[in-house]
PDB file of all heavy atoms in Angstrom:
ATOM      1  N   TYR A   1     -27.715  14.524 -83.422  1.00 98.00           N
ATOM      2  CA  TYR A   1     -28.010  15.233 -84.663  1.00 98.00           C
ATOM      3  C   TYR A   1     -27.340  14.483 -85.811  1.00 98.00           C
ATOM      4  O   TYR A   1     -26.143  14.174 -85.745  1.00 98.00           O
ATOM      5  CB  TYR A   1     -27.501  16.666 -84.581  1.00 98.00           C
ATOM      6  CG  TYR A   1     -27.729  17.487 -85.837  1.00 98.00           C
ATOM      7  CD1 TYR A   1     -29.000  17.601 -86.393  1.00 98.00           C
ATOM      8  CD2 TYR A   1     -26.670  18.161 -86.447  1.00 98.00           C
ATOM      9  CE1 TYR A   1     -29.213  18.355 -87.534  1.00 98.00           C
ATOM     10  CE2 TYR A   1     -26.880  18.928 -87.595  1.00 98.00           C
ATOM     11  CZ  TYR A   1     -28.157  19.011 -88.127  1.00 98.00           C
ATOM     12  OH  TYR A   1     -28.375  19.756 -89.259  1.00 98.00           O
ATOM     13  N   THR A   2     -28.102  14.161 -86.872  1.00 97.00           N
ATOM     14  CA  THR A   2     -27.587  13.333 -87.968  1.00 97.00           C
ATOM     15  C   THR A   2     -27.851  14.009 -89.315  1.00 97.00           C
ATOM     16  O   THR A   2     -28.742  13.596 -90.063  1.00 97.00           O
ATOM     17  CB  THR A   2     -28.236  11.942 -87.947  1.00 97.00           C
ATOM     18  OG1 THR A   2     -29.671  12.104 -88.002  1.00 97.00           O
ATOM     19  CG2 THR A   2     -27.875  11.182 -86.688  1.00 97.00           C
ATOM     20  N   PRO A   3     -27.082  15.039 -89.671  1.00 96.00           N
ATOM     21  CA  PRO A   3     -27.301  15.734 -90.959  1.00 96.00           C
ATOM     22  C   PRO A   3     -26.790  14.909 -92.142  1.00 96.00           C
ATOM     23  O   PRO A   3     -25.827  14.139 -92.020  1.00 96.00           O
ATOM     24  CB  PRO A   3     -26.493  17.019 -90.794  1.00 96.00           C
ATOM     25  CG  PRO A   3     -25.392  16.634 -89.855  1.00 96.00           C
ATOM     26  CD  PRO A   3     -25.998  15.642 -88.901  1.00 96.00           C
ATOM     27  N   GLU A   4     -27.439  15.070 -93.297  1.00 95.00           N
ATOM     28  CA  GLU A   4     -26.989  14.460 -94.534  1.00 95.00           C
ATOM     29  C   GLU A   4     -26.167  15.491 -95.309  1.00 95.00           C
ATOM     30  O   GLU A   4     -26.652  16.572 -95.611  1.00 95.00           O
ATOM     31  CB  GLU A   4     -28.174  14.001 -95.380  1.00 95.00           C
ATOM     32  CG  GLU A   4     -28.816  12.722 -94.899  1.00 95.00           C
ATOM     33  CD  GLU A   4     -29.867  12.214 -95.891  1.00 95.00           C
ATOM     34  OE1 GLU A   4     -30.152  12.949 -96.847  1.00 95.00           O
ATOM     35  OE2 GLU A   4     -30.385  11.115 -95.681  1.00 95.00           O
ATOM     36  N   LEU A   5     -24.927  15.127 -95.640  1.00 94.00           N
ATOM     37  CA  LEU A   5     -24.049  16.042 -96.355  1.00 94.00           C
ATOM     38  C   LEU A   5     -24.155  15.863 -97.864  1.00 94.00           C
ATOM     39  O   LEU A   5     -23.896  16.798 -98.617  1.00 94.00           O
ATOM     40  CB  LEU A   5     -22.607  15.844 -95.894  1.00 94.00           C
ATOM     41  CG  LEU A   5     -22.385  15.951 -94.378  1.00 94.00           C
ATOM     42  CD1 LEU A   5     -20.925  15.761 -94.039  1.00 94.00           C
ATOM     43  CD2 LEU A   5     -22.897  17.276 -93.846  1.00 94.00           C
ATOM     44  N   SER A   6     -24.502  14.650 -98.307  1.00 94.00           N
ATOM     45  CA  SER A   6     -24.715  14.372 -99.723  1.00 94.00           C
ATOM     46  C   SER A   6     -25.478  13.060 -99.818  1.00 94.00           C
ATOM     47  O   SER A   6     -25.906  12.494 -98.805  1.00 94.00           O
ATOM     48  CB  SER A   6     -23.382  14.290-100.468  1.00 94.00           C
ATOM     49  OG  SER A   6     -22.668  13.117-100.091  1.00 94.00           O
ATOM     50  N   ASP A   7     -25.624  12.556-101.034  1.00 93.00           N
ATOM     51  CA  ASP A   7     -26.342  11.293-101.211  1.00 93.00           C
ATOM     52  C   ASP A   7     -25.612  10.121-100.575  1.00 93.00           C
ATOM     53  O   ASP A   7     -26.231   9.127-100.213  1.00 93.00           O
ATOM     54  CB  ASP A   7     -26.548  11.010-102.703  1.00 93.00           C
ATOM     55  CG  ASP A   7     -27.505  11.991-103.349  1.00 93.00           C
ATOM     56  OD1 ASP A   7     -28.280  12.624-102.601  1.00 93.00           O
ATOM     57  OD2 ASP A   7     -27.461  12.142-104.591  1.00 93.00           O
ATOM     58  N   THR A   8     -24.305  10.211-100.449  1.00 95.00           N
ATOM     59  CA  THR A   8     -23.517   9.098 -99.920  1.00 95.00           C
ATOM     60  C   THR A   8     -22.836   9.398 -98.584  1.00 95.00           C
ATOM     61  O   THR A   8     -22.276   8.503 -97.973  1.00 95.00           O
ATOM     62  CB  THR A   8     -22.426   8.686-100.935  1.00 95.00           C
ATOM     63  OG1 THR A   8     -21.587   9.817-101.205  1.00 95.00           O
ATOM     64  CG2 THR A   8     -23.070   8.192-102.228  1.00 95.00           C
ATOM     65  N   VAL A   9     -22.865  10.650 -98.150  1.00 97.00           N
ATOM     66  CA  VAL A   9     -22.145  11.047 -96.940  1.00 97.00           C
ATOM     67  C   VAL A   9     -23.110  11.657 -95.932  1.00 97.00           C
ATOM     68  O   VAL A   9     -23.929  12.511 -96.274  1.00 97.00           O
ATOM     69  CB  VAL A   9     -21.015  12.054 -97.259  1.00 97.00           C
ATOM     70  CG1 VAL A   9     -20.275  12.437 -95.979  1.00 97.00           C
ATOM     71  CG2 VAL A   9     -20.046  11.474 -98.274  1.00 97.00           C
ATOM     72  N   SER A  10     -23.011  11.191 -94.690  1.00 97.00           N
ATOM     73  CA  SER A  10     -23.804  11.755 -93.592  1.00 97.00           C
ATOM     74  C   SER A  10     -22.900  11.916 -92.369  1.00 97.00           C
ATOM     75  O   SER A  10     -21.819  11.330 -92.295  1.00 97.00           O
ATOM     76  CB  SER A  10     -24.993  10.852 -93.252  1.00 97.00           C
ATOM     77  OG  SER A  10     -24.551   9.570 -92.838  1.00 97.00           O
ATOM     78  N   ALA A  11     -23.349  12.708 -91.438  1.00 98.00           N
ATOM     79  CA  ALA A  11     -22.581  12.960 -90.220  1.00 98.00           C
ATOM     80  C   ALA A  11     -23.444  12.671 -89.007  1.00 98.00           C
ATOM     81  O   ALA A  11     -24.668  12.499 -89.110  1.00 98.00           O
ATOM     82  CB  ALA A  11     -22.085  14.407 -90.190  1.00 98.00           C
ATOM     83  N   PHE A  12     -22.823  12.584 -87.848  1.00 98.00           N
ATOM     84  CA  PHE A  12     -23.567  12.425 -86.605  1.00 98.00           C
ATOM     85  C   PHE A  12     -22.807  13.098 -85.469  1.00 98.00           C
ATOM     86  O   PHE A  12     -21.582  13.045 -85.391  1.00 98.00           O
ATOM     87  CB  PHE A  12     -23.823  10.944 -86.295  1.00 98.00           C
ATOM     88  CG  PHE A  12     -22.585  10.078 -86.249  1.00 98.00           C
ATOM     89  CD1 PHE A  12     -21.938   9.818 -85.048  1.00 98.00           C
ATOM     90  CD2 PHE A  12     -22.089   9.512 -87.404  1.00 98.00           C
ATOM     91  CE1 PHE A  12     -20.807   9.019 -85.007  1.00 98.00           C
ATOM     92  CE2 PHE A  12     -20.960   8.707 -87.378  1.00 98.00           C
ATOM     93  CZ  PHE A  12     -20.314   8.451 -86.181  1.00 98.00           C
ATOM     94  N   VAL A  13     -23.570  13.759 -84.622  1.00 98.00           N
ATOM     95  CA  VAL A  13     -23.023  14.440 -83.455  1.00 98.00           C
ATOM     96  C   VAL A  13     -23.876  14.045 -82.256  1.00 98.00           C
ATOM     97  O   VAL A  13     -25.102  14.183 -82.280  1.00 98.00           O
ATOM     98  CB  VAL A  13     -23.035  15.978 -83.623  1.00 98.00           C
ATOM     99  CG1 VAL A  13     -22.463  16.645 -82.382  1.00 98.00           C
ATOM    100  CG2 VAL A  13     -22.256  16.391 -84.867  1.00 98.00           C
ATOM    101  N   THR A  14     -23.224  13.531 -81.207  1.00 98.00           N
ATOM    102  CA  THR A  14     -23.933  13.069 -80.009  1.00 98.00           C
ATOM    103  C   THR A  14     -23.301  13.711 -78.786  1.00 98.00           C
ATOM    104  O   THR A  14     -22.071  13.743 -78.652  1.00 98.00           O
ATOM    105  CB  THR A  14     -23.850  11.535 -79.874  1.00 98.00           C
ATOM    106  OG1 THR A  14     -24.316  10.930 -81.067  1.00 98.00           O
ATOM    107  CG2 THR A  14     -24.687  11.059 -78.699  1.00 98.00           C
ATOM    108  N   GLY A  15     -24.123  14.215 -77.886  1.00 98.00           N
ATOM    109  CA  GLY A  15     -23.625  14.790 -76.641  1.00 98.00           C
ATOM    110  C   GLY A  15     -24.594  14.542 -75.507  1.00 98.00           C
ATOM    111  O   GLY A  15     -25.814  14.559 -75.716  1.00 98.00           O
ATOM    112  N   GLY A  16     -24.056  14.253 -74.314  1.00 98.00           N
ATOM    113  CA  GLY A  16     -24.949  13.970 -73.196  1.00 98.00           C
ATOM    114  C   GLY A  16     -24.294  14.122 -71.843  1.00 98.00           C
ATOM    115  O   GLY A  16     -23.069  14.266 -71.722  1.00 98.00           O
ATOM    116  N   VAL A  17     -25.141  14.100 -70.822  1.00 98.00           N
ATOM    117  CA  VAL A  17     -24.718  14.179 -69.425  1.00 98.00           C
ATOM    118  C   VAL A  17     -25.312  12.976 -68.706  1.00 98.00           C
ATOM    119  O   VAL A  17     -26.526  12.727 -68.797  1.00 98.00           O
ATOM    120  CB  VAL A  17     -25.186  15.491 -68.765  1.00 98.00           C
ATOM    121  CG1 VAL A  17     -24.744  15.541 -67.305  1.00 98.00           C
ATOM    122  CG2 VAL A  17     -24.651  16.690 -69.531  1.00 98.00           C
ATOM    123  N   PHE A  18     -24.454  12.241 -67.949  1.00 98.00           N
ATOM    124  CA  PHE A  18     -24.879  10.979 -67.365  1.00 98.00           C
ATOM    125  C   PHE A  18     -24.402  10.884 -65.907  1.00 98.00           C
ATOM    126  O   PHE A  18     -23.191  10.886 -65.648  1.00 98.00           O
ATOM    127  CB  PHE A  18     -24.299   9.808 -68.165  1.00 98.00           C
ATOM    128  CG  PHE A  18     -24.502   9.932 -69.651  1.00 98.00           C
ATOM    129  CD1 PHE A  18     -23.532  10.528 -70.459  1.00 98.00           C
ATOM    130  CD2 PHE A  18     -25.674   9.482 -70.244  1.00 98.00           C
ATOM    131  CE1 PHE A  18     -23.712  10.654 -71.825  1.00 98.00           C
ATOM    132  CE2 PHE A  18     -25.873   9.610 -71.611  1.00 98.00           C
ATOM    133  CZ  PHE A  18     -24.884  10.199 -72.402  1.00 98.00           C
ATOM    134  N   PRO A  19     -25.315  10.808 -64.944  1.00 97.00           N
ATOM    135  CA  PRO A  19     -24.903  10.621 -63.545  1.00 97.00           C
ATOM    136  C   PRO A  19     -24.372   9.204 -63.324  1.00 97.00           C
ATOM    137  O   PRO A  19     -24.956   8.235 -63.797  1.00 97.00           O
ATOM    138  CB  PRO A  19     -26.196  10.864 -62.766  1.00 97.00           C
ATOM    139  CG  PRO A  19     -27.296  10.559 -63.733  1.00 97.00           C
ATOM    140  CD  PRO A  19     -26.782  10.920 -65.091  1.00 97.00           C
ATOM    141  N   ILE A  20     -23.270   9.082 -62.609  1.00 97.00           N
ATOM    142  CA  ILE A  20     -22.670   7.781 -62.309  1.00 97.00           C
ATOM    143  C   ILE A  20     -22.958   7.356 -60.876  1.00 97.00           C
ATOM    144  O   ILE A  20     -23.366   6.225 -60.625  1.00 97.00           O
ATOM    145  CB  ILE A  20     -21.143   7.822 -62.546  1.00 97.00           C
ATOM    146  CG1 ILE A  20     -20.855   8.097 -64.027  1.00 97.00           C
ATOM    147  CG2 ILE A  20     -20.484   6.519 -62.111  1.00 97.00           C
ATOM    148  CD1 ILE A  20     -19.382   8.294 -64.327  1.00 97.00           C
ATOM    149  N   ASP A  21     -22.730   8.268 -59.933  1.00 96.00           N
ATOM    150  CA  ASP A  21     -22.944   7.954 -58.516  1.00 96.00           C
ATOM    151  C   ASP A  21     -23.381   9.234 -57.808  1.00 96.00           C
ATOM    152  O   ASP A  21     -22.578  10.160 -57.632  1.00 96.00           O
ATOM    153  CB  ASP A  21     -21.651   7.398 -57.903  1.00 96.00           C
ATOM    154  CG  ASP A  21     -21.841   6.885 -56.488  1.00 96.00           C
ATOM    155  OD1 ASP A  21     -22.990   6.842 -56.010  1.00 96.00           O
ATOM    156  OD2 ASP A  21     -20.825   6.520 -55.846  1.00 96.00           O
ATOM    157  N   GLU A  22     -24.657   9.309 -57.436  1.00 95.00           N
ATOM    158  CA  GLU A  22     -25.189  10.501 -56.772  1.00 95.00           C
ATOM    159  C   GLU A  22     -24.848  10.438 -55.291  1.00 95.00           C
ATOM    160  O   GLU A  22     -25.152   9.472 -54.600  1.00 95.00           O
ATOM    161  CB  GLU A  22     -26.699  10.580 -56.971  1.00 95.00           C
ATOM    162  CG  GLU A  22     -27.301  11.942 -56.684  1.00 95.00           C
ATOM    163  CD  GLU A  22     -27.531  12.185 -55.199  1.00 95.00           C
ATOM    164  OE1 GLU A  22     -27.824  11.211 -54.486  1.00 95.00           O
ATOM    165  OE2 GLU A  22     -27.425  13.345 -54.762  1.00 95.00           O
ATOM    166  N   ILE A  23     -24.185  11.486 -54.795  1.00 95.00           N
ATOM    167  CA  ILE A  23     -23.713  11.525 -53.405  1.00 95.00           C
ATOM    168  C   ILE A  23     -24.264  12.776 -52.724  1.00 95.00           C
ATOM    169  O   ILE A  23     -24.183  13.886 -53.272  1.00 95.00           O
ATOM    170  CB  ILE A  23     -22.175  11.530 -53.346  1.00 95.00           C
ATOM    171  CG1 ILE A  23     -21.618  10.225 -53.942  1.00 95.00           C
ATOM    172  CG2 ILE A  23     -21.678  11.702 -51.919  1.00 95.00           C
ATOM    173  CD1 ILE A  23     -20.122  10.216 -54.103  1.00 95.00           C
ATOM    174  N   GLN A  24     -24.823  12.584 -51.548  1.00 93.00           N
ATOM    175  CA  GLN A  24     -25.317  13.707 -50.756  1.00 93.00           C
ATOM    176  C   GLN A  24     -24.171  14.277 -49.927  1.00 93.00           C
ATOM    177  O   GLN A  24     -23.734  13.689 -48.939  1.00 93.00           O
ATOM    178  CB  GLN A  24     -26.455  13.259 -49.838  1.00 93.00           C
ATOM    179  CG  GLN A  24     -27.003  14.354 -48.937  1.00 93.00           C
ATOM    180  CD  GLN A  24     -27.607  15.506 -49.713  1.00 93.00           C
ATOM    181  OE1 GLN A  24     -28.531  15.308 -50.485  1.00 93.00           O
ATOM    182  NE2 GLN A  24     -27.092  16.702 -49.519  1.00 93.00           N
ATOM    183  N   SER A  25     -23.651  15.426 -50.346  1.00 92.00           N
ATOM    184  CA  SER A  25     -22.514  16.032 -49.648  1.00 92.00           C
ATOM    185  C   SER A  25     -22.964  16.694 -48.353  1.00 92.00           C
ATOM    186  O   SER A  25     -24.108  17.159 -48.218  1.00 92.00           O
ATOM    187  CB  SER A  25     -21.835  17.072 -50.547  1.00 92.00           C
ATOM    188  OG  SER A  25     -21.364  16.473 -51.728  1.00 92.00           O
ATOM    189  N   SER A  26     -22.052  16.733 -47.384  1.00 91.00           N
ATOM    190  CA  SER A  26     -22.335  17.359 -46.080  1.00 91.00           C
ATOM    191  C   SER A  26     -21.003  17.726 -45.426  1.00 91.00           C
ATOM    192  O   SER A  26     -19.931  17.519 -45.999  1.00 91.00           O
ATOM    193  CB  SER A  26     -23.127  16.397 -45.188  1.00 91.00           C
ATOM    194  OG  SER A  26     -22.341  15.259 -44.864  1.00 91.00           O
ATOM    195  N   ASP A  27     -21.064  18.242 -44.195  1.00 87.00           N
ATOM    196  CA  ASP A  27     -19.838  18.599 -43.484  1.00 87.00           C
ATOM    197  C   ASP A  27     -18.988  17.369 -43.173  1.00 87.00           C
ATOM    198  O   ASP A  27     -17.762  17.455 -43.088  1.00 87.00           O
ATOM    199  CB  ASP A  27     -20.178  19.332 -42.180  1.00 87.00           C
ATOM    200  CG  ASP A  27     -20.781  20.698 -42.443  1.00 87.00           C
ATOM    201  OD1 ASP A  27     -20.551  21.230 -43.553  1.00 87.00           O
ATOM    202  OD2 ASP A  27     -21.477  21.227 -41.562  1.00 87.00           O
ATOM    203  N   THR A  28     -19.653  16.228 -42.990  1.00 89.00           N
ATOM    204  CA  THR A  28     -18.923  15.004 -42.663  1.00 89.00           C
ATOM    205  C   THR A  28     -18.680  14.115 -43.885  1.00 89.00           C
ATOM    206  O   THR A  28     -18.008  13.098 -43.792  1.00 89.00           O
ATOM    207  CB  THR A  28     -19.692  14.192 -41.608  1.00 89.00           C
ATOM    208  OG1 THR A  28     -21.002  13.889 -42.105  1.00 89.00           O
ATOM    209  CG2 THR A  28     -19.811  14.982 -40.305  1.00 89.00           C
ATOM    210  N   ASN A  29     -19.243  14.502 -45.006  1.00 92.00           N
ATOM    211  CA  ASN A  29     -19.027  13.757 -46.239  1.00 92.00           C
ATOM    212  C   ASN A  29     -18.812  14.778 -47.366  1.00 92.00           C
ATOM    213  O   ASN A  29     -19.763  15.289 -47.946  1.00 92.00           O
ATOM    214  CB  ASN A  29     -20.215  12.855 -46.559  1.00 92.00           C
ATOM    215  CG  ASN A  29     -19.970  11.973 -47.768  1.00 92.00           C
ATOM    216  OD1 ASN A  29     -18.859  11.924 -48.300  1.00 92.00           O
ATOM    217  ND2 ASN A  29     -20.994  11.282 -48.207  1.00 92.00           N
ATOM    218  N   LYS A  30     -17.545  15.047 -47.655  1.00 93.00           N
ATOM    219  CA  LYS A  30     -17.199  16.102 -48.600  1.00 93.00           C
ATOM    220  C   LYS A  30     -17.056  15.604 -50.039  1.00 93.00           C
ATOM    221  O   LYS A  30     -16.698  16.380 -50.928  1.00 93.00           O
ATOM    222  CB  LYS A  30     -15.906  16.783 -48.154  1.00 93.00           C
ATOM    223  CG  LYS A  30     -16.038  17.481 -46.801  1.00 93.00           C
ATOM    224  CD  LYS A  30     -14.730  18.130 -46.378  1.00 93.00           C
ATOM    225  CE  LYS A  30     -14.880  18.799 -45.005  1.00 93.00           C
ATOM    226  NZ  LYS A  30     -13.595  19.431 -44.570  1.00 93.00           N
ATOM    227  N   ALA A  31     -17.319  14.341 -50.255  1.00 95.00           N
ATOM    228  CA  ALA A  31     -17.268  13.806 -51.613  1.00 95.00           C
ATOM    229  C   ALA A  31     -18.380  14.418 -52.449  1.00 95.00           C
ATOM    230  O   ALA A  31     -19.448  14.789 -51.946  1.00 95.00           O
ATOM    231  CB  ALA A  31     -17.405  12.291 -51.580  1.00 95.00           C
ATOM    232  N   LYS A  32     -18.138  14.520 -53.752  1.00 96.00           N
ATOM    233  CA  LYS A  32     -19.107  15.093 -54.671  1.00 96.00           C
ATOM    234  C   LYS A  32     -19.674  14.014 -55.600  1.00 96.00           C
ATOM    235  O   LYS A  32     -19.053  12.982 -55.821  1.00 96.00           O
ATOM    236  CB  LYS A  32     -18.443  16.192 -55.510  1.00 96.00           C
ATOM    237  CG  LYS A  32     -17.943  17.372 -54.679  1.00 96.00           C
ATOM    238  CD  LYS A  32     -17.306  18.426 -55.578  1.00 96.00           C
ATOM    239  CE  LYS A  32     -16.799  19.613 -54.757  1.00 96.00           C
ATOM    240  NZ  LYS A  32     -16.154  20.645 -55.629  1.00 96.00           N
ATOM    241  N   SER A  33     -20.851  14.291 -56.130  1.00 97.00           N
ATOM    242  CA  SER A  33     -21.469  13.347 -57.059  1.00 97.00           C
ATOM    243  C   SER A  33     -20.579  13.148 -58.277  1.00 97.00           C
ATOM    244  O   SER A  33     -19.883  14.066 -58.726  1.00 97.00           O
ATOM    245  CB  SER A  33     -22.843  13.857 -57.503  1.00 97.00           C
ATOM    246  OG  SER A  33     -23.736  13.899 -56.408  1.00 97.00           O
ATOM    247  N   LYS A  34     -20.626  11.918 -58.825  1.00 97.00           N
ATOM    248  CA  LYS A  34     -19.768  11.551 -59.953  1.00 97.00           C
ATOM    249  C   LYS A  34     -20.596  11.569 -61.235  1.00 97.00           C
ATOM    250  O   LYS A  34     -21.692  11.011 -61.290  1.00 97.00           O
ATOM    251  CB  LYS A  34     -19.160  10.174 -59.709  1.00 97.00           C
ATOM    252  CG  LYS A  34     -18.358  10.125 -58.412  1.00 97.00           C
ATOM    253  CD  LYS A  34     -17.925   8.717 -58.028  1.00 97.00           C
ATOM    254  CE  LYS A  34     -17.236   8.711 -56.680  1.00 97.00           C
ATOM    255  NZ  LYS A  34     -16.802   7.367 -56.252  1.00 97.00           N
ATOM    256  N   TRP A  35     -20.025  12.206 -62.256  1.00 98.00           N
ATOM    257  CA  TRP A  35     -20.741  12.400 -63.504  1.00 98.00           C
ATOM    258  C   TRP A  35     -19.869  12.021 -64.696  1.00 98.00           C
ATOM    259  O   TRP A  35     -18.644  12.035 -64.617  1.00 98.00           O
ATOM    260  CB  TRP A  35     -21.155  13.874 -63.674  1.00 98.00           C
ATOM    261  CG  TRP A  35     -22.163  14.356 -62.708  1.00 98.00           C
ATOM    262  CD1 TRP A  35     -21.955  14.766 -61.409  1.00 98.00           C
ATOM    263  CD2 TRP A  35     -23.570  14.498 -62.937  1.00 98.00           C
ATOM    264  NE1 TRP A  35     -23.122  15.153 -60.828  1.00 98.00           N
ATOM    265  CE2 TRP A  35     -24.145  14.994 -61.736  1.00 98.00           C
ATOM    266  CE3 TRP A  35     -24.399  14.258 -64.019  1.00 98.00           C
ATOM    267  CZ2 TRP A  35     -25.497  15.255 -61.616  1.00 98.00           C
ATOM    268  CZ3 TRP A  35     -25.746  14.523 -63.905  1.00 98.00           C
ATOM    269  CH2 TRP A  35     -26.293  15.013 -62.706  1.00 98.00           C
ATOM    270  N   LEU A  36     -20.521  11.723 -65.801  1.00 98.00           N
ATOM    271  CA  LEU A  36     -19.870  11.587 -67.095  1.00 98.00           C
ATOM    272  C   LEU A  36     -20.475  12.616 -68.031  1.00 98.00           C
ATOM    273  O   LEU A  36     -21.693  12.659 -68.221  1.00 98.00           O
ATOM    274  CB  LEU A  36     -20.067  10.181 -67.671  1.00 98.00           C
ATOM    275  CG  LEU A  36     -19.764  10.010 -69.167  1.00 98.00           C
ATOM    276  CD1 LEU A  36     -18.305  10.313 -69.474  1.00 98.00           C
ATOM    277  CD2 LEU A  36     -20.154   8.612 -69.650  1.00 98.00           C
ATOM    278  N   VAL A  37     -19.623  13.455 -68.608  1.00 98.00           N
ATOM    279  CA  VAL A  37     -20.025  14.386 -69.653  1.00 98.00           C
ATOM    280  C   VAL A  37     -19.316  13.933 -70.919  1.00 98.00           C
ATOM    281  O   VAL A  37     -18.074  13.920 -70.973  1.00 98.00           O
ATOM    282  CB  VAL A  37     -19.653  15.840 -69.310  1.00 98.00           C
ATOM    283  CG1 VAL A  37     -20.076  16.780 -70.442  1.00 98.00           C
ATOM    284  CG2 VAL A  37     -20.305  16.257 -67.992  1.00 98.00           C
ATOM    285  N   GLY A  38     -20.085  13.519 -71.916  1.00 98.00           N
ATOM    286  CA  GLY A  38     -19.483  12.928 -73.105  1.00 98.00           C
ATOM    287  C   GLY A  38     -19.998  13.511 -74.399  1.00 98.00           C
ATOM    288  O   GLY A  38     -21.150  13.948 -74.490  1.00 98.00           O
ATOM    289  N   GLY A  39     -19.150  13.501 -75.399  1.00 98.00           N
ATOM    290  CA  GLY A  39     -19.536  13.970 -76.724  1.00 98.00           C
ATOM    291  C   GLY A  39     -18.783  13.212 -77.797  1.00 98.00           C
ATOM    292  O   GLY A  39     -17.650  12.748 -77.583  1.00 98.00           O
ATOM    293  N   GLN A  40     -19.411  13.061 -78.957  1.00 98.00           N
ATOM    294  CA  GLN A  40     -18.795  12.347 -80.071  1.00 98.00           C
ATOM    295  C   GLN A  40     -19.274  12.957 -81.382  1.00 98.00           C
ATOM    296  O   GLN A  40     -20.451  13.310 -81.524  1.00 98.00           O
ATOM    297  CB  GLN A  40     -19.161  10.861 -80.022  1.00 98.00           C
ATOM    298  CG  GLN A  40     -18.478  10.017 -81.094  1.00 98.00           C
ATOM    299  CD  GLN A  40     -18.928   8.563 -81.062  1.00 98.00           C
ATOM    300  OE1 GLN A  40     -20.109   8.276 -81.272  1.00 98.00           O
ATOM    301  NE2 GLN A  40     -18.008   7.653 -80.790  1.00 98.00           N
TER     302      GLN A  40
END
């Protein structure tokens, strides 16, 4: 989102969800999928 605050000033807001390593969990593999949740 990039709103304009005035003729010379603007802002930006960015947010997202990004998978890093998808892992199929099970009884013998208890690791969970790795994610990045980021905002700026």
Side-chain angles (χ1 to χ4, degrees):
Y1 179 54
T2 56
E4 283 188 353
L5 306 181
S6 70
D7 292 340
T8 58
V9 181
S10 61
F12 55 94
V13 180
T14 306
V17 179
F18 311 92
I20 297 174
D21 187 6
E22 197 279 327
I23 297 172
Q24 178 62 59
S25 300
S26 65
D27 292 338
T28 58
N29 185 8
K30 297 179 181 179
K32 297 180 180 179
S33 295
K34 302 171 185 180
W35 293 80
L36 164 62
V37 179
Q40 184 183 62

